[in-house]
Amino acid sequence: MAEIQLKGLAHSYNKHAENPEYAIRQMDHIWKDGGAYALLGPSGCGKSTLLNIISGLLASSEGEVLFDGVRVNDIPPQERNIAQVFQFPVVYDTMTVFDNLAFPLRNMKTSESKILTKVGEIAKILELTTVLNKKAANLTADEKQKVSMGRGLVRDDVSAILFDEPLTVIDPQLKWKLRRKLKQIQEKFKITMVYVTHDQLEASTFADKIALMYEGQVVQFGTPRELFEYPNHTFVGYFIGSPGMNLMAVQRCEQGLIFGDTVFTLNKYEQQCLDDSDSHNVKLGIRPEFVHVWDKPNGEAHLSEVEFVEDLGTYKIISLKFEGQTIKARLQEDQKVPHGQVYISFPEQWLMLYIDEYLVAKDGTYE
Ligand code: ADP
Ligand code: MG
């Protein structure tokens, strides 16, 4: 097991072109030993590229990969001691399930008695015991992917296991179950695991910490709760949550910021940061869960108009027209659905300031 450190990492698939594009842009990141991590982000943001660089399938154009402080850039994949599970099953069709699972162990000259124990253990966890003697060719797609995952899990000496959207081909019920099993295995053996997904739910059920990637960079690394409560970047606000954060492009004014005719004042620290910047890309963000909706005037609440309401079964999302823009709010469970004109307020604590898309912390303490 190992700590994986990425130092000044960058990668371009066309670095000799006149204007090379970077799939990974200047990244410094540490995956601590024994942690359960998710690498979350939309398609094309560089997740697979990053995993392939860590496992050694791909050589990065710039920067270093360190395992426990030792540079591994020049070490071939098979010597890096990393198990990688891909989106689509990789199995040896002509071999039995048992032999497929035993393969990585036999490669390392593990004794047959240890192989029997280890394969048995993993087969049990993945519910493959009854098919151990079947040829892999005769398995269902689900079973084949379980075998692929099993091959990654049989070795207890690996530095880390990297999963690249491994449950894509698995049906939803089983997906949930397998994710829990992975988590159990992680907790039991404390193997460093990096689990790639584009699904926030999958990321937060598996991982203790999520690295959210956007355009080749990790824009935030934190617990699911941190990503929800303090999105470090507008993209985190947008991508995490359902629906994502409301973002208002605001203008500077004497009292602080103005959106349409509505003035927002900032706290001292935020105002100082705003004064120190000359950017015109300033936004205020608030999550739908934190917007309050009243059917009568209430203190400083702002007038707005109900556009429509979506009933999502266990909760309702209301869309409101506020200063010409749609703002979404999540209604409280027992709250009556308002109609027509309503009043909305944005609790100061949850109204976030973004300059050039990055969060300005309320008091400068959190990231
Ligand atoms: P993700 O796994 O997050 O979907 P990828 O790492 O596959 O993202 O891709 C990141 C970027 O690199 C994309 O713009 C993609 O088109 C590009 N890319 C990926 N693989 C290659 C390749 N082999 N050659 C050229 N460009 C590639
Ligand atoms: Mg990918």
Side-chain angles (χ1 to χ4, degrees), residues 1 38-39 62 72 75 80-81 90 93 105 134 153 161 202 218 226 275 299 310 341 344 363:
M1 271 133 270
L39 182 58
E62 294 164 33
V72 297
I75 296 179
R80 287 198 193 186
N81 229 5
V90 182
D93 271 341
L105 297 173
K134 257 196 187 177
L153 297 166
I161 310 184
E202 206 164 282
V218 172
E226 284 164 346
D275 293 343
E310 291 159 274
Q341 292 197 333
I344 57 175
D363 56 4

Side-chain angles (χ1 to χ4, degrees), residues 38 40-42 197-201 203-204 210-213 219-220 222-246 286-289:
L40 173 67
T197 175
H198 58 263
D199 179 337
Q200 53 174 308
L201 194 69
S204 44
I210 298 174
L212 185 63
M213 240 180 125
V219 285
Q220 189 164 7
T223 62
R225 184 171 175 165
E226 284 164 346
L227 268 60
F228 182 80
E229 292 189 342
Y230 305 108
N232 203 17
H233 186 278
T234 51
F235 183 77
V236 183
Y238 156 83
F239 195 74
I240 300 284
S242 172
M245 187 177 231
N246 296 296
I286 186 160
R287 291 216 174 264
E289 287 79 357

Side-chain angles (χ1 to χ4, degrees), residues 42-49 87 164-165 196:
S43 177
C45 72
K47 304 181 296 297
S48 296
T49 302
Q87 194 165 3
D164 197 349
E165 314 215 28
V196 166

Side-chain angles (χ1 to χ4, degrees), residues 274-302:
L274 187 66
D275 293 343
D276 289 347
S277 153
D278 52 14
S279 171
H280 290 288
N281 178 9
V282 184
K283 289 178 179 145
L284 284 173
I286 186 160
R287 291 216 174 264
E289 287 79 357
F290 301 136
V291 175
H292 285 237
V293 182
W294 321 87
D295 52 9
K296 296 186 193 65
N298 189 317
E300 307 230 306
H302 314 286

